[in-house]
Amino acid sequence: MPYSLRRLPVFRADVLVVGSGVAGLATALSAAEKGGHVMVLCKGRIADTNTHYAQGGIAAAVGPNDDVELHAGDTLRLGYGISEAQVVEAITAAAPEAMDWLLESGMSFDREPSGNFSLGMEGGHRLPRILHSGGTATGKELQRVLAARAQQHPHIDFYPNTTAVELLKDSEDVVTGLVALTRQGSDGTFNPVLFEANSVVLATGGGGQIFRETTNPQLATADGLAMALRAGAVLQDLEFVQFHPTILYLAGAARFLISEVVRGEGAVLRDRNGVAFMSAFHPDADLAPRDVVSRAIFRRMIEAGDTNVFLDLAKVTNPECRFPGLARIASEFGIQIGADPIPVRPAVHYFVGGVAAALDGSTNVDGLYAVGECASTGFHGANRMGSNSLLEGLVHGRLVGDRILDRKRSVRRFVAPNLPDDHRAPAAELNLTDMTYSLKSLLWRQVGIERDAAGLADAQERLDTWAHYLERLGPFTPEGVEVMNMVQVAQAITRSASFREESRGAHFRSDFPDTDPDWRVHSRLESTGNGLRISPELIPDSPRLHK
Ligand code: FAD
């Protein structure tokens, strides 16, 4: 850090939340409603989040034949033995009440003419239990409602265009704040500032941008995971990176997610010869679980020489009316969705693993908390069930915010090394765009849908070399910090994927294609200062039987 921290301006509050998506805003609101003063940082505008893009909806057992035990049972089944039952029970049980809270906050969910909720169905759920808004605009509505409530709250202050860079600790190794870079105006200049708080909550979302193909927006660079790792926190189950099977794939087009609802309505995946191939991979054919469909597409693309696979909507009734967003985007590229096959590919969608956090949000580092997609509570296990992540962010965020003020501690000043201001500029200049592209391609090729020991070892070696020179040459700018974070988290994912010598849920090893009961463990990774250490931890068993 080329600054003397002692000279920087300092902002203080009880709680500092990094992130303005569902998890960050839910935490901020419940801490503020308990009387705490909260600061919320975000990299761009408040609405620039993964949350804003969520389409399908939020899962909650509110249907007439549903109950929370069924929801818990489905979540555990889709977790492939890695979910923690007590966490699953707590979050699914709190879901119906959390929906009431959203309604009271002004959220509008789609309803049937009868007035009942219109409930969607997604892979893994045995009953329709997905609440949605404006068809596929659930995330936008959720972000709007939470941000409006938080912006009206007198105890919550927002700091947009502010990139958190590094966590700071006091002399007793307690996290007491962080250093950030705030952007000034539109000319791209930025200033370093310090934030201090009793508790620092990471709600920074996922890191899809580490991979070449992703549904995630630009902000998803896994900053929270990298900051936590550098501060000594344990990262858990990072090998479980979930792919979404069907993303619109056209050179130059945004990677638009084509929901599995489209296949639910009769769309069929075909290879370039027009052959419908999914029934060769799974009895449920095109409606097989997401990880199975993603691997099948990937296999077919490789076998056909890396060409596209297509989604055929010929059997979908009135597709332009049913899927207007997709129809609009595809038509811009000359594709009529009812008549023309749509080129699709899988893309990284969700980071199942993250900073190991308990139900109160606490991590192994005193003063540091994690919620939402950047946290790993044990809720999702080895594979996230559709629409369970907005739920987790909301329920976990509210729980964490509710309890975070219980921890009474006066803010101690962090230890600020008195660095000289005359840092020498490195002789070589790094091309960050080239670095990012190389990283994304490497992860996509060797740490993607199918992995094996040789590819992972090679990736690890390259990443170690890159990290080594990035530390010296990477510029201290928001973009430079993002690239450093992405490379460090890529090292952590690669190490975790090499460690787990089996296939389970979202993690597939072609050299260990079976699930091994001995691997019913979390992988727990931490930094030793000059490397990464990884170890297994047994999954606590549930004392209860689930439906
Ligand atoms: P996010 O909503 O991603 O917010 C992250 C926040 O952290 C942002 O404000 C960002 O600016 C901030 N941040 C990050 N780094 C820094 C930094 N260094 N400094 C300051 N701020 C920082 N899930 C469902 O349950 N149902 C769905 O239907 C669904 N559909 C999806 C569709 C798409 C296209 C995508 C991409 C995801 C979807 N998901 C869905 C997943 C879900 O949207 C995310 O898991 C969830 O929104 C994550 O919420 P979050 O609050 O943890 O993080």
Side-chain angles (χ1 to χ4, degrees):
M1 241 175 263
Y3 300 99
S4 174
L5 296 183
R6 288 171 196 245
R7 299 192 195 155
L8 302 184
V10 184
F11 297 88
R12 291 200 180 90
D14 300 315
V15 181
L16 170 61
V17 177
V18 189
S20 59
V22 58
L25 293 179
T27 309
L29 275 164
S30 60
E33 281 160 14
K34 278 258 174 150
H37 176 202
V38 185
M39 300 182 290
V40 178
L41 314 190
C42 50
K43 285 207 270 195
R45 292 168 306 173
I46 295 169
D48 294 338
T49 59
N50 276 296
T51 300
H52 176 88
Y53 291 95
Q55 295 190 357
I58 313 179
V62 293
N65 303 315
D66 207 357
D67 67 41
V68 295
E69 291 257 318
L70 281 171
H71 187 181
D74 288 350
T75 304
L76 283 168
R77 197 163 30 81
L78 260 271
Y80 292 95
I82 305 281
S83 297
E84 291 189 26
Q86 284 178 354
V87 174
V88 171
E89 283 158 14
I91 292 179
T92 51
E97 192 269 326
M99 297 307 112
D100 291 341
W101 182 80
L102 282 181
L103 288 168
E104 178 236 308
S105 305
M107 178 110 185
S108 86
F109 287 116
D110 297 336
R111 291 180 186 267
E112 304 288 355
S114 63
N116 293 339
F117 292 123
S118 156
L119 296 173
M121 180 81 176
E122 279 185 6
H125 296 273
R126 278 173 290 177
L127 286 168
R129 65 165 72 96
I130 318 299
L131 292 104
H132 46 87
S133 284
T136 52
T138 314
K140 194 172 167 195
E141 170 70 356
L142 180 63
Q143 183 74 41
R144 179 192 72 75
V145 166
L146 293 179
R149 186 161 172 163
Q151 281 173 300
Q152 279 160 15
H153 202 291
H155 294 161
I156 301 179
D157 293 326
F158 280 94
Y159 296 83
N161 298 315
T162 302
T163 300
V165 173
E166 197 73 341
L167 294 162
L168 299 167
K169 289 180 169 177
D170 68 9
S171 53
E172 290 169 23
D173 222 27
V174 178
V175 167
T176 55
L178 52 80
V179 61
L181 292 171
T182 56
R183 244 180 232 290
Q184 306 293 309
S186 53
D187 64 352
T189 53
F190 48 83
N191 286 328
V193 288
L194 297 181
F195 290 88
E196 261 186 7
N198 267 339
S199 314
V200 176
V201 185
L202 295 174
T204 49
Q209 286 296 329
I210 297 176
F211 293 79
R212 198 184 77 195
E213 304 299 338
T214 182
T215 62
N216 292 188
Q218 287 298 328
L219 67 97
T221 52
D223 298 350
L225 271 61
M227 282 189 281
L229 186 65
R230 294 194 293 263
V234 170
L235 303 187
Q236 183 171 276
D237 297 340
L238 284 194
E239 61 276 27
F240 299 113
V241 174
Q242 188 181 60
F243 286 73
H244 194 287
T246 50
I247 308 303
L248 175 67
Y249 187 77
L250 288 164
R255 300 292 185 250
F256 185 80
L257 182 151
I258 306 180
S259 159
E260 59 204 72
V261 179
V262 181
R263 277 172 284 131
E265 299 272 321
V268 174
L269 285 160
R270 297 187 187 278
D271 65 16
R272 65 173 172 173
N273 299 318
V275 176
F277 56 88
M278 273 311 303
S279 52
F281 287 91
H282 196 276
D284 293 340
D286 291 274
L287 290 176
R290 280 181 186 179
D291 53 310
V292 176
V293 181
S294 295
R295 281 197 296 278
I297 295 177
F298 181 72
R299 276 274 118 227
R300 195 42 71 113
M301 280 165 46
I302 290 184
E303 279 154 18
D306 203 21
T307 60
N308 283 334
V309 155
F310 299 89
L311 195 60
D312 172 9
L313 273 67
K315 290 206 182 112
V316 177
T317 316
N318 223 347
E320 272 85 7
C321 294
R322 182 71 185 83
F323 304 110
L326 172 63
R328 207 171 37 248
I329 288 184
S331 76
E332 297 285 351
F333 293 87
I335 294 175
Q336 304 310 315
I337 62 169
D340 305 319
I342 306 171
V344 291
R345 279 193 177 190
V348 167
H349 190 46
Y350 184 81
F351 273 27
V352 180
V355 184
L359 265 180
D360 65 0
S362 59
T363 68
N364 63 310
V365 176
D366 204 4
L368 183 66
Y369 296 74
V371 288
E373 187 168 339
C374 78
S376 171
T377 58
F379 180 57
H380 302 298
N383 205 357
R384 176 191 67 116
M385 192 162 70
S387 291
N388 258 355
S389 47
L390 292 180
L391 173 68
E392 186 197 33
L394 181 68
V395 169
H396 192 213
R398 292 184 71 217
L399 265 175
V400 173
D402 194 53
R403 297 189 195 161
I404 206 159
L405 299 171
D406 298 348
R407 183 173 162 274
K408 289 267 178 291
R409 192 176 59 80
S410 55
V411 174
R412 286 170 207 271
R413 298 309 308 276
F414 56 84
V415 191
N418 204 4
L419 299 174
D421 273 341
D422 60 343
H423 271 252
R424 196 168 51 84
E429 201 177 306
L430 206 66
N431 182 334
L432 286 182
T433 312
D434 187 53
M435 184 86 248
T436 310
Y437 187 77
S438 303
L439 172 71
K440 283 165 171 280
S441 300
L442 178 69
L443 270 274
W444 183 254
R445 268 195 328 268
Q446 290 171 221
V447 197
I449 293 179
E450 284 189 9
R451 300 147 172 189
D452 63 32
L456 290 168
D458 177 73
Q460 193 79 61
E461 212 178 296
R462 287 174 203 234
L463 289 165
D464 291 350
T465 310
W466 296 349
H468 188 66
Y469 62 72
L470 250 173
E471 263 168 38
R472 282 179 300 109
L473 302 179
F476 192 68
T477 61
E479 294 75 20
V481 169
E482 279 181 353
V483 175
M484 183 77 231
N485 289 340
M486 288 197 288
V487 169
Q488 288 180 347
V489 174
Q491 288 177 295
I493 294 173
T494 307
R495 180 68 193 277
S496 307
S498 317
F499 178 66
R500 187 175 288 278
E501 294 185 330
E502 64 152 358
S503 294
R504 184 188 290 269
H507 170 70
F508 185 81
R509 290 277 303 255
S510 54
D511 48 353
F512 295 97
D514 299 322
T515 301
D516 180 345
D518 288 346
W519 274 99
R520 209 181 143 240
V521 293
H522 290 304
S523 65
R524 293 179 52 96
L525 176 134
E526 54 197 314
S527 171
T528 58
N530 54 4
L532 298 172
R533 179 174 50 221
I534 191 158
S535 52
E537 188 181 86
L538 282 176
I539 312 288
D541 261 318
S542 163
R544 290 170 56 186
L545 287 174
H546 286 271
K547 288 187 192 171

